[in-house]
Every structure is written in C-alpha cells, then in structure tokens.
Amino acid sequence: MRKVFYSVLAALALFFSLPGTSQEYRISHFGLTEGISHQYVYTVSQDNHGYIWIGTGQGLCRFNGIAFDTDILQDSLGTEVAQASIKDSRGVLWFGYQSGDIAKYDGTSFSTVKPGVEITSAVTGFAALEDGDLIVSTQNNSLFSLNVQTGAANPVSGIEMGLFTALSVKGKMLLLGSMEGLAVYSI
C-alpha cells in the first residue's frame, strides 16, 4: 500500500513540474558599437544617482541605463586606466589607476588624491573598513590604509609584501588574494 502511495505521489509531482517554466534571464551585451570606450573592462561601480561607472582600457565611461558617456572630465587623469573602484559609506566613488594615482568622485566632480605615500605601481583593489576608511592594494607597494576624510594613507603593518590581486574585508577579517593563493588576516 505504501509503495502505491509513493508511486502516485511521485507521478503527481512529475506531472505538475513538467508544464512549469524556468526563470528567464535577460542578458545584454555592451561593446564598442553600443558606445563603451574600450572592450576591456577592469572595474564597475554604481554611484548614488544610479549611474554605472566603468573603468576600461581607454579611461572611464558612465552609463545611464540607455547610453554611455565617454567624455568624462577627470582633471589631470585624462584617459588613464581605472583598474579598481569602490563606493565608500558616504557614497563617494574611489578609483585606482594603473599609474598608481587615486581619484575620488563626490557626485559632482573628480579630484585627485595625494595620499602622502609614494605609490609607484598600479592600484589593484579597494576594501571598505567598518570605520569608513579604505584599504588600498597596489601591485608592488603592498597595502595602505586610506583615510577617506583627509586622503592620507599609511602602510598597513604586519602583512607580508606581495602582489595582491583581490581583497575584501568581512567584519574583522581581511582576505587577500594573490598569485600564491588566499591569505586571511585578523584586523
């Protein structure tokens, strides 16, 4: 009797699942013909106004959901490659460039940040700390703590120098991706 019950139950479940449809995803591709300035995309961030900022091989683009704006006035940065970006807790966008420059966009204008330490290689990533400041990784200068109010940076101590390609902060843990794998540090 139990066998018949389970067989009927399985048949009903199969019958009702067949006519169902799976979720359909709408995927759009944006390339040179759609207006993006370069096909290689390094970083993507969204500002508080809903604009999508894209760091490409030919500089920054801004996407409003319909069209790309590639005529972005970035002060002295011109068409430098923005390799990393993040939006901080105040809504300010931060961009790290392959030249080692750092810029911020406050929603109305760009300004170049002078962190007070020499960064001689590409900025490879940002991560936000609980206090609102940022951790900045660079290709060969290791890690810096960046005060978002003053723009001043200090080297992070206690971490081996390395080429960090990805970083993330989760609570009191700092995760660093490198060519040697993943390292987890306690902050």
Side-chain angles (χ1 to χ4, degrees):
M1 184 70 168
R2 288 180 107 176
K3 240 181 183 181
V4 172
F5 174 74
Y6 287 121
S7 297
V8 170
L9 187 61
L12 284 172
L14 182 61
F15 175 76
F16 285 112
S17 67
L18 287 177
T21 59
S22 63
Q23 186 172 355
E24 193 173 309
Y25 293 99
R26 194 177 107 200
I27 298 173
S28 299
H29 175 79
F30 298 100
L32 298 174
T33 57
E34 289 78 24
I36 199 166
S37 62
H38 194 268
Q39 61 198 19
Y40 196 97
V41 174
Y42 289 92
T43 186
V44 177
S45 290
Q46 185 173 17
D47 68 18
N48 284 345
H49 302 291
Y51 292 109
I52 306 293
W53 291 85
I54 303 120
T56 74
Q58 292 289 330
L60 284 175
C61 294
R62 186 175 72 179
F63 184 59
N64 63 12
I66 298 170
F68 290 92
D69 180 4
T70 58
D71 193 27
I72 307 297
L73 182 61
Q74 301 178 68
D75 295 336
S76 63
L77 297 172
T79 60
E80 282 193 46
V81 176
Q83 185 166 316
S85 64
I86 192 170
K87 181 169 69 170
D88 71 17
S89 60
R90 300 173 304 146
V92 174
L93 291 180
W94 294 82
F95 296 97
Y97 293 86
Q98 284 185 345
S99 65
D101 289 333
I102 297 174
K104 64 180 181 176
Y105 178 70
D106 63 8
T108 57
S109 64
F110 280 89
S111 59
T112 303
V113 176
K114 300 295 182 195
V117 293
E118 185 178 10
I119 300 175
T120 60
S121 63
V123 174
T124 59
F126 292 102
L129 297 171
E130 287 180 347
D131 65 2
D133 288 344
L134 301 176
I135 296 286
V136 181
S137 66
T138 64
Q139 191 166 4
N140 62 7
N141 292 81
S142 200
L143 299 173
F144 299 94
S145 173
L146 182 70
N147 182 309
V148 297
Q149 299 292 331
T150 65
N154 293 307
V156 174
S157 60
I159 296 177
E160 293 180 37
M161 295 276 284
L163 168 59
F164 300 115
T165 56
L167 69 155
S168 179
V169 172
K170 298 294 179 202
K172 296 286 183 193
M173 291 184 352
L174 172 64
L175 293 90
L176 296 172
S178 71
M179 297 177 83
E180 288 81 37
L182 180 67
V184 180
Y185 291 91
S186 198
I187 299 176

